[in-house]
Amino acid sequence: MTHSAPRRARVRAPELIGEGGWLNTGDKQYTLADLRGRIVVLDFWTFCCINCLHVLDELRELEDRHRDTVVVIGVHSPKFVHEAEHRAVVDAVERYGVEHPVLDDPELATWKQYAVRAWPTLVVIDPEGYVVAQHAGEGHAHAIERLVEELEAEHEAKGTLRRGDGPYVPPEPEPTTLRFPGKALLLPSGHFLVSDTTRHQLVELAEDAETVVRRIGSGTRGFADGGATEASFNEPQGLALGEDGSVIVADTVNHALRRLDLATGAVSTLAGTGKQWWQGSATFGPAREVDLSSPWDVAVFGGRVWIAMAGVHQLWTYDPAAGTVGAAAGTTNEGLVDGPGAEAWFAQPSGLAATAERLWLADSETSALRWVDLDGEVHTAVGTGLFDFGHRDGPAGQALLQHPLGVTALPDGSVAVSDTYNHALRRYDPATGEVTTLATDLREPSDAVLVGEDVVVVESARHRLTRLRLPEEAVRVESVAHRTRRAATEVSPGRLRLDVVFQAPAGQKLDTRYGPSTRLLVSSTPPELLLKGEGADTDLSRDLELNPSVTEGVLHVSAMAASCDDDPANEFPACHVHQQDWGVPVRLAEGATDRLPLVLAGMDRGSRTARQTPYPSL
């Protein structure tokens, strides 16, 4: 009995090109022809993007299980200007433990060839060099693995599969005391506790901020409680001193809060299950039973531990007395919207600092400094949205930051901002509404702590803590303003058909057990861009009407689809959530396309008749 190969759309894959060249290959440069015979998974990512970091983690098991047939290639496609620097990409590849080849594409050449519209996007290329699937966002690893298994069987039978070692060559490790440290905490002893993120440890340093007193954690990626040498972390970040004298740790990739007993070095788990939160998961409950999503920083404010939940663009709180955890502010939509906590939008909040009356936060993807007041209202001090950033001092309303990760309260009521991608320490004074620069020539500063008259900065990409005297006068810097590196998509004014393409993975069907299995949310910046089509609905296609008098803007599209195993005999089918947020810069132009396809999973078969093909080079 013979089995015919499954019929699937195939498009010849465009070449892989990038001015920055290849990383993790021992300096060898690759073409698609060199990879013929292997199943190639392209991961279009940028290192600022939390969803991209989630996908890196999702892909690790796939890489391990199919190492002799699958080659994952990260195509680094920058959003921020800093991310186009080759040295920064090299750092990020090590920082996040990327164990596959990476093509550095600072000009977005390959991104454009594949008509990618979102970070992250995964593209599967079969052993003969044809694109057979595209997936945007998170939650697709199971579907890709199913496709990989089909492709292995199909091309083994055809004789077109080539097994063997992949092109990955690990870089030489460098012997530094810290490796891409994330956050720091001044302990009551005068020592510093630092999250040594890439080494999956906490390190206690003496008062000189250099001498190692002790290391906590095994140093290998894992999730285990126990003593200082048995316990394990997974890229820990934020640290806060609890009211009982313990340290609360944001264990980012474990999606958990951990507790460090300073006296004994013992580590226990306060909150999180180790699993990532998805739409539909609980948003409140017993702390050890609720999923979290990439907690990046923690701070004690108003008797609760506030959590910068970068993975879902929210603020959560942990109540030590009640032993509960829950969402406190943010809708999970990505953007910059102020107002009551339940209505506010954030974009990857990554740094927290509490004063008596305000919880300050660094909202990294909107390059913004924001705060929450005692009534739970959210305000913005600096920043305008997802696409504007730079280095500009002056009145806060026109000042610019670039992907800040840390914020520190200063004694005079002002705050210092670790302006990470500007390599600077900035200051915002609420009394005057002015933004100034305190120091430059720092390398990816991600946090800072106040020590007397000094501020000690976590220079993450220099692998050290750096002590600075708070200057009497601000440093003068040349103003620079930027917009995101993505080119705008030209669309026709008036009616625009939005199609989110989703095809359930092989062997699965849409999960309709509890009602509609899909959700589509659309909004725009400025709001006047959309005359019709805003809001939420269950249909993944929608007719929008664009205002001809607004020449350009951004369409914000959030899509979710749930699928389950299609086997009536299985009483407990495995179910998966696929989700992605797109921010699509658009420019209105007469005669341009009247259809905007966004691929959540599958291939856009409608594009052949539309005015825009998925691969413009073909």
Side-chain angles (χ1 to χ4, degrees), residues 155-350:
H155 289 274
E156 190 97 74
K158 288 172 68 175
T160 47
L161 185 70
R162 181 166 55 89
R163 294 180 181 270
D165 293 334
Y168 170 65
V169 178
E172 284 293 317
E174 294 189 37
T176 53
T177 301
L178 302 172
R179 205 70 193 159
F180 298 104
K183 305 286 185 183
L185 176 66
L186 181 65
L187 298 175
S189 64
H191 290 180
F192 297 91
L193 188 68
V194 184
S195 52
D196 196 14
T197 305
T198 298
R199 294 216 178 107
H200 315 295
Q201 288 182 318
L202 308 180
V203 180
E204 184 177 340
L205 300 177
E207 292 173 359
D208 63 3
E210 293 180 9
T211 305
V212 175
V213 176
R214 61 175 169 167
R215 293 181 181 272
I216 295 142
S218 64
T220 56
R221 198 185 287 276
F223 189 10
D225 290 340
T229 55
E230 298 88 38
S232 54
F233 300 95
N234 198 342
E235 297 183 27
Q237 287 281 349
L239 306 166
L241 203 59
E243 293 180 346
D244 64 354
S246 67
V247 174
I248 300 146
V249 182
D251 194 4
T252 305
V253 180
N254 277 330
H255 311 296
L257 291 193
R258 314 293 291 282
R259 179 186 184 273
L260 167 65
D261 185 315
L262 282 171
T264 66
V267 176
S268 54
T269 300
L270 293 175
T273 63
K275 295 178 181 175
Q276 184 185 336
W277 187 95
W278 287 100
Q279 293 288 349
S281 302
T283 56
F284 179 82
R288 293 289 304 272
E289 298 173 18
V290 176
D291 299 337
L292 309 182
S293 182
S294 296
W296 206 275
D297 203 4
V298 280
V300 178
F301 178 64
R304 291 180 292 170
V305 178
W306 286 69
I307 309 163
M309 203 71 79
V312 283
H313 318 299
Q314 288 182 307
L315 300 180
W316 284 44
T317 59
Y318 165 68
D319 185 335
T324 55
V325 69
T331 63
T332 75
N333 295 318
E334 185 178 12
L336 193 154
V337 177
D338 289 339
E343 299 171 15
W345 291 24
F346 301 99
Q348 230 168 285
S350 301

